[in-house]
Amino acid sequence: MSHYEAEDWPLPANRRESTVSSSTRSSGSLSFVSSPPFSPSLSPSVFSSPASRPREGSVNDEVARLPLNPAVTVSFVRSSKLFKLRYTYINIRKDFSGALKCLELGGGIGQQNAFLHSFNTTRLPVPHLEHPKLPNELSLRISFLDEQTVQVGSTVFATQISYTFEDWADCLQFQELILASKLVFIAGIAEAKSKGRGEECISQNLRILRGQSGKLVMLFFANSQRKEHKRYVSIPLTCIESVNPGKNSRRPVVLQLQPNFDHLAQMKTLQIQFLMEEDQKAFCQFLAENSR
């Protein structure tokens, strides 16, 4: 597949792609075993005032701008052509209830119109890290698993989009702004298994998020499950009964779960094998310091 840069974009409008269905539902949306731990409103200090908001959207929207240096690379396919465009800022737009409406990208070389990435779901989408987090990575790519809606000027189409950040601090803040939570722990895991459901995931990331209420939630993508269960799983840390760190780094960490909810009752226990020994130690230490 050919690779196209900013000077080749946008392509001529295609009538068949001028409208898209709003029925797309992302498997990357959060599905909680309890009430959502993330507060729907972000810190007012990161948002623009109503007078300085862009014209798109409602005056009641909250908009947080994430400046980027180096620029983020946005990749997508349209009309069998792969495009890679670079932008120097992202506006994260949410409505008054905290639902994510769209991402507005700007500052691209040769780009006169804003690049709008909209979400066709009422649930909060999870920024999906496509590769396990390892030390000293030069770039990290985030996607949202399913097709999303893109608009540039009058051109509207559906495609899968990925964001490649060259700075982990930018990638981190992007996740935090979307999820309205602090990312307090992340590590790559080789696999996770539960006693009740078997293999949960392989080669994924385990994240722990702290909502504005202070509630801590562990999050991972169950990519080994059947299609209907292939989704993000969240486990409040208060639902972890006990932790067995294993005798050595070759042994997984075993979490005994309280059967507070149907999902946890199905899982019963969770065994996690980390990719790096230091991450396994840091995870156990974090749980010990933040136990109930």
Side-chain angles (χ1 to χ4, degrees):
M1 182 179 292
S2 300
H3 169 203
Y4 292 80
E5 300 286 356
E7 60 267 20
D8 304 300
W9 176 256
L11 289 174
N14 184 325
R15 285 187 179 180
R16 291 178 300 173
E17 295 177 340
S18 62
T19 60
V20 295
S21 170
S22 61
S23 61
T24 304
R25 182 173 179 177
S26 174
S27 59
S29 300
L30 279 178
S31 182
F32 295 104
V33 297
S34 62
S35 59
F38 306 119
S39 172
S41 61
L42 299 181
S43 171
S45 62
V46 301
F47 288 103
S48 59
S49 63
S52 63
R53 288 173 181 152
R55 293 180 180 179
E56 296 85 356
S58 167
V59 293
N60 294 320
D61 291 346
E62 291 182 324
V63 182
R65 172 164 293 194
L66 175 61
L68 301 164
N69 185 18
V72 65
T73 300
V74 180
S75 305
F76 60 93
V77 173
R78 184 177 179 230
S79 300
S80 301
K81 295 179 174 63
L82 172 64
F83 286 89
K84 291 187 176 182
L85 309 178
R86 290 174 65 80
Y87 293 95
T88 58
Y89 70 83
I90 303 174
N91 287 338
I92 294 93
R93 178 179 291 275
K94 297 189 178 187
D95 66 18
F96 68 94
S97 70
L100 182 62
K101 295 179 66 175
C102 70
L103 304 176
E104 304 166 345
L105 288 80
I109 299 175
Q111 301 298 307
Q112 297 181 348
N113 296 312
F115 184 99
L116 303 180
H117 172 188
S118 301
F119 295 86
N120 305 315
T121 176
T122 56
R123 292 185 176 183
L124 201 60
V126 178
H128 180 72
L129 282 165
E130 295 188 1
H131 303 287
K133 177 76 170 65
L134 296 172
N136 303 319
E137 288 185 88
L138 297 178
S139 66
L140 293 136
R141 193 165 69 175
I142 280 180
S143 65
F144 293 91
L145 298 175
D146 290 327
E147 284 192 342
Q148 306 289 327
T149 302
V150 169
Q151 179 176 354
V152 181
S154 60
T155 303
V156 182
F157 59 97
T159 187
Q160 287 186 305
I161 310 171
S162 65
Y163 295 76
T164 301
F165 295 89
E166 298 179 25
D167 189 313
W168 170 244
D170 292 337
C171 183
L172 173 66
Q173 193 172 5
F174 182 67
Q175 298 172 69
E176 292 182 337
L177 287 171
I178 288 177
L179 295 172
S181 298
K182 285 292 183 182
L183 180 56
V184 293
F185 179 86
I186 181 170
I189 55 177
E191 65 176 1
K193 298 179 180 178
S194 67
K195 185 176 181 180
R197 305 198 323 165
E199 188 175 71
E200 295 283 346
C201 68
I202 58 171
S203 189
Q204 290 293 305
N205 285 285
L206 185 145
R207 287 177 274 188
I208 299 178
L209 299 155
R210 177 182 282 115
Q212 289 187 344
S213 66
K215 187 173 184 179
L216 292 164
V217 173
M218 188 171 68
L219 188 69
F220 65 89
F221 186 63
N223 66 334
S224 298
Q225 289 290 305
R226 295 189 303 273
K227 184 177 180 180
E228 62 271 21
H229 299 301
K230 196 184 294 288
R231 58 183 175 83
Y232 268 96
V233 174
S234 62
I235 301 175
L237 262 59
T238 53
C239 293
I240 299 174
E241 180 68 34
S242 63
V243 180
N244 183 345
K247 295 181 179 179
N248 54 60
S249 60
R250 294 187 299 273
R251 303 291 297 174
V253 177
V254 180
L255 307 179
Q256 186 73 38
L257 306 176
Q258 292 181 350
N260 299 37
F261 313 100
D262 290 342
H263 192 74
L264 298 187
Q266 293 172 18
M267 296 178 73
K268 299 179 181 178
T269 64
L270 187 64
Q271 299 181 28
I272 305 169
Q273 184 68 60
F274 288 86
L275 289 171
M276 305 291 292
E277 181 179 359
E278 53 266 35
D279 287 337
Q280 180 167 329
K281 292 179 180 179
F283 176 71
C284 293
Q285 182 178 351
F286 184 91
L287 293 184
E289 293 174 352
N290 293 273
S291 60
R292 292 175 290 115

